[in-house]
Amino acid sequence: MSVEKQRLKDKNWLNWGPYVSNRQWGNVREDYSPNGNAWHFANHSNAESYAYRWGEEGIAGISDTKQLLCFALSFWNKNDDRIKERFFGLSNPQGNHGEDIKEIFYYLDNTPTHSYMKMVYKYPINKFPYEDLLAENGRRSKKEPEYEIIDTGIFDKDEYFDIFIEYCKGDINDILVKVTVCNRSQKDAPIVVMPTAWYRNNWKWGYNEYKGQLEDSHEGCININHNSIALKKFYSKNKNAERAFCDNETNNPKLYGSPETENAYYKDGINDYVIHQKNTINPERKGSKASFIIEAEVKAGQSEVFEFRLTQNELDDPFYDFESIFNARISEANEFYGDIQQDVPNEDERNVQRQAFAGLLWNKQFYHYNVGKWLKGDPNHEAPRDFNNFVRNTEWEHLHNKDIISMPDKWEYPWYATWDLAFHCVPYAIIDADFAKNQLLLLTKEWYMHPNGQMPAYEWNLSDVNPPVHAWSCFRVFKIDEKTNGKPDLLFLEKVFQKLLLNFTWWVNRKDKNGKNIFGGGFLGLDNIGAFDRNMTLKDGEHLEQADGTSWMAMYALNMMRIAMELAQYYQVYEDMAIKFFEHYLYIAEAMENMGEDKEGLWNEEDGFFYDVLQLANGESVTLRLRSIVGLIPLFAVEIIDHHLLEKMPNFRERMDWVLKNKPELANLVSHWDEEGSGRKHLMSILRRTRLKKVLTRMLDEKEFLSSYGIRAMSKVYEENPFVFTVHGNKNVVYYTPAESDSRMFGGNSNWRGPIWFPINFLIVESLQRFHFYYGNSLKVEFPTGSGEQKNLDEVAHNISNRLCSIFLKDESGQRAFNGGNYKFNYDPHFKDYITFFEYFHGDNGRGVGASHQTGWTATVAKLMKPRLG
């Protein structure tokens, strides 16, 4: 067993990690405005002076698990008008496609215990183009691409620093920090390096008056004094470094014109001291925020190394064993990933996969949000809520989150999203199954899940509805964990199953509008995929019957059935639950076929595809014949059961025999569960062979869904012939848009009308593998459609998987598709092997689009590169 795996057995090694957000401003939980304008209340302009309520932000920031003490890096190139202590980006209203970070950095390595971590930040030597980025993105329309920092020309002459930031742990409470500043330009350039420690402000709100102190000790040392923090010393190897202190307090005089407070040294004190030479640091050399200030001249093409240490012990020579510890941790990280990547065939794939894991691990974050307190305000901090108009999350007063959670992207999405998290956990299970299981359990806890059984979606609207993929993820993680560790974690599976019963019931009671097993749910995570906003309330009782909502629920029922069958092997009581979910699945399948007398079902025989159906007030129904991944989601409702498993469940078999005999209208609507396939297997699927082939004919057509880089979210036919839908005199037009959205629906930075999205593609690949597991070579399809080439479904799945992986891997010319053809990114030796895992990808050329570091669900590429596990 590797050293890192042994460390994972001691959870104390997780006491410190990369738990600091990349952006705390612009979040709902920091919004104390009366009108809910979160992007404006706490923003990038005032962030340097505003003390946050619920969390902290920083560059390569780390903290303890309760985020009492934080540490991050700050820099100054002596040209900017502010210290670079947070990443810059545009708010949702500022960007022509919504919020967008305007920095270049890469997560290069990380281990599950964070015993070794590495990233690189590319910091311009010349003045950072803040104004240019704001102005040009503000000028551009929704139909134009985003204006990125690489487009400004600031990197054209290589006049930038590569700042490599590395952490390793000498022990549980011994953290070593190495900062290597490489000058990539042809001229000498100055830089100021400021490692900064500070306490999260939890003392000003009226609950707790205790405040830790950071105090001057001696040259090269700052004392850490806090009764709940084991770290006691903060060392700099450069003993001549200036030590500066202020307080993590809001600068009210600067922000709000309040009177000056005597002897007050605000959060921005170090910034103002360094930039403007103001007397804004504490002459008594103490405070709740402290930095070493180190000035250096980095020669052209050369590097300078800066070393720091946070430890619980006073050391005569804090750096005597620095290199040996770093070398040991790097070697152990290589050993850990060497074991995991034994069957990954080439160096480029190993590089991509390891950076995918690194991104997942770097995107862990301390997430604190107590909705009850947030709504009411604190004793010392009012919340001027306008409850007569709009206030978010009023139905979630019970929600109290204070945990380390996997974020989609710690800048663009520094808050958890329930269905994103389900996908994160699958690749997580490969490297740290316990963390994956605990994350899945966390969302079902009573201080997360609503008493009515609903799971929280995300902080912008906790009541929004995400696709119900939690049960799928739980079983996938369970199986990966079982295969890795050699034994099933039945306690985990049973715990999560019990809570998911509540959530499944919520879906049945709240999202089945007429009790007919046809489900809505609104946009269901797919944002603008419909012809109109699927979240809006229609008039006169009209409503949308959703092919995706109903298919997700069929999948959910099968997932719950499969979990129950697994548990029934050990606890017979679960056999009855397996029967219950199988029957529920059959009722959903029937409803998709027949929604009532004289009403069309969700399946359209003429097109060989599933569509949403709009039920009108007069009782008529209208099929929305818009071909999108909504019609592919029925593929996901598939389960294969080995015959030996059925033999262990006589009650289940008896009940299914009765259903087959007495309710043939149910059994005939789905692929026959009772017919054995190759190897005595049973198929449970909404799609019979004939319909499956029809759907796949559409999906595998390069003129429709099949791209060189995966499956598009919408048919390409709408590029030249847009879908037009008119109802009640309102005309709705949908174009195929392969990259950035052309509408402001849901903020404009999320587009489901053409791009390639990894979560959906990942489920497509897995579903095709399941179908092949049943059919084997007895079912082949033309791939691609019209090519004349016949492939079995496993070959199709493998091909789609390769297309997805090719987004990140070098092609024969050395380019990586996600770079969008940018020469510097593809060929410059200081860029070409660095990977960013975007939110989604251009449907035609694979260019990365949306959040640039959403390694969360895009990290499923790491699982595609290790297909035989689980």
Side-chain angles (χ1 to χ4, degrees), residues 82-93:
R82 74 195 74 170
I83 286 173
K84 176 64 69 171
E85 59 181 340
R86 62 187 48 79
F87 290 130
F88 172 70
L90 306 183
S91 69
N92 195 302

Side-chain angles (χ1 to χ4, degrees), residues 395-408:
E395 298 176 353
W396 291 80
E397 285 195 53
H398 76 284
L399 187 135
H400 183 186
N401 302 163
K402 195 176 183 181
D403 297 285
I404 304 301
I405 308 178
S406 175
M407 299 293 124

Side-chain angles (χ1 to χ4, degrees), residues 489-619:
D489 188 348
L490 298 173
L491 181 60
F492 158 72
L493 199 61
E494 191 170 14
K495 277 184 177 181
V496 79
F497 181 81
Q498 298 293 343
K499 290 297 185 69
L500 288 173
L501 288 175
L502 300 176
N503 182 247
F504 189 91
T505 303
W506 176 85
W507 270 90
V508 171
N509 290 338
R510 298 296 182 96
K511 295 302 173 182
D512 179 6
K513 186 173 182 63
N514 294 317
K516 300 293 187 181
N517 291 300
I518 292 290
F519 293 85
F523 73 88
L524 276 174
L526 308 186
D527 296 8
N528 64 345
I529 201 164
F532 51 83
D533 183 351
R534 299 197 300 169
N535 261 349
M536 71 181 181
T537 302
L538 303 174
K539 65 179 185 179
D540 299 328
E542 295 180 349
H543 61 279
L544 195 63
E545 309 283 22
Q546 293 179 221
D548 57 334
T550 307
S551 300
W552 286 123
M553 282 303 290
M555 173 186 173
Y556 196 176
L558 283 178
N559 295 152
M560 291 294 280
M561 179 204 73
R562 185 63 186 85
I563 294 173
M565 294 179 80
E566 189 75 16
L567 290 169
Q569 308 309 301
Y570 305 90
Y571 316 109
Q572 189 177 0
V573 65
Y574 285 98
E575 192 170 357
D576 288 345
M577 297 305 298
I579 294 169
K580 175 259 184 294
F581 281 109
F582 183 82
E583 291 201 28
H584 207 126
Y585 152 73
L586 287 177
Y587 289 126
I588 294 171
E590 180 193 28
M592 291 185 73
E593 176 75 13
N594 179 16
M595 292 163 55
E597 187 177 351
D598 299 326
K599 293 184 180 179
E600 296 186 58
L602 301 180
W603 171 259
N604 184 280
E605 185 63 34
E606 180 182 351
D607 291 356
F609 211 70
F610 287 95
Y611 296 117
D612 287 346
V613 172
L614 181 63
Q615 298 292 349
L616 303 177
N618 61 8

